[in-house]
Amino acid sequence: MFLTCEGTLGIVPATMDYRGQARPGHFHAGYQQIQGINLGYLQIGGTQMFALAQVLSDLFKDIPRTTISKKMETLKIKSRRCDLAELRTLKAIHSVPTRAVKCSLISKADLEALCTSCESLSPRR
């Protein structure tokens, strides 16, 4: 199965159960520009979820990870582990490295709160 996603939303089919019925789990993949950086996301259950690895490497590349972790703890931001289908989709849209074996997701609302909290920490673009 190949998934191509070039800036538009795509539908990733849910897996089928043994009776041929689609299980819940449809999600959309796409790109969102945040602070001038294109980040890949998955739309899961009505919520945009971003790969924490890409957020840390692209959006907060100049801020130590320990600082980001402390901010997340202070803001009570929880990440959730993605499942295999979500991980494969994130790899296909180049949000996580192809060698990744796991990935955590963060919601858009939490990402916006984190961006606001870290505004004073990153150098101006």
Side-chain angles (χ1 to χ4, degrees):
M1 174 177 111
F2 293 95
L3 172 72
T4 57
C5 197
E6 299 178 10
T8 60
L9 290 176
I11 296 175
V12 179
T15 54
M16 301 298 256
D17 68 14
Y18 67 94
R19 292 175 297 218
Q21 302 292 320
R23 285 185 276 178
H26 278 90
F27 53 88
H28 300 272
Y31 298 97
Q32 170 92 35
Q33 194 168 70
I34 296 179
Q35 295 186 359
I37 297 172
N38 255 355
L39 297 177
Y41 70 86
L42 299 177
Q43 182 93 17
I44 303 170
T47 304
Q48 275 187 336
M49 302 293 285
F50 294 86
L52 191 55
Q54 185 180 31
V55 168
L56 293 172
S57 68
D58 294 357
L59 198 57
F60 298 126
K61 63 183 171 198
D62 300 324
I63 302 172
R65 288 185 184 214
T66 53
T67 303
I68 299 297
S69 293
K70 287 177 186 173
K71 289 280 187 187
M72 287 177 67
E73 191 175 307
T74 302
L75 295 168
K76 295 182 175 31
I77 293 174
K78 301 278 186 203
S79 60
R80 83 158 182 87
R81 188 67 50 93
C82 64
D83 65 24
L84 186 58
E86 293 164 350
L87 179 63
R88 287 179 177 159
T89 303
L90 289 168
K91 288 179 181 183
I93 64 172
H94 306 291
S95 288
V96 296
T98 54
R99 68 184 180 280
V101 293
K102 60 185 177 180
C103 178
S104 295
L105 300 172
I106 183 173
S107 72
K108 184 176 181 181
D110 287 342
L111 178 57
E112 289 170 347
L114 189 59
C115 286
T116 301
S117 179
C118 293
E119 245 174 30
S120 61
L121 301 176
S122 62
R124 297 284 172 225
R125 295 178 206 260

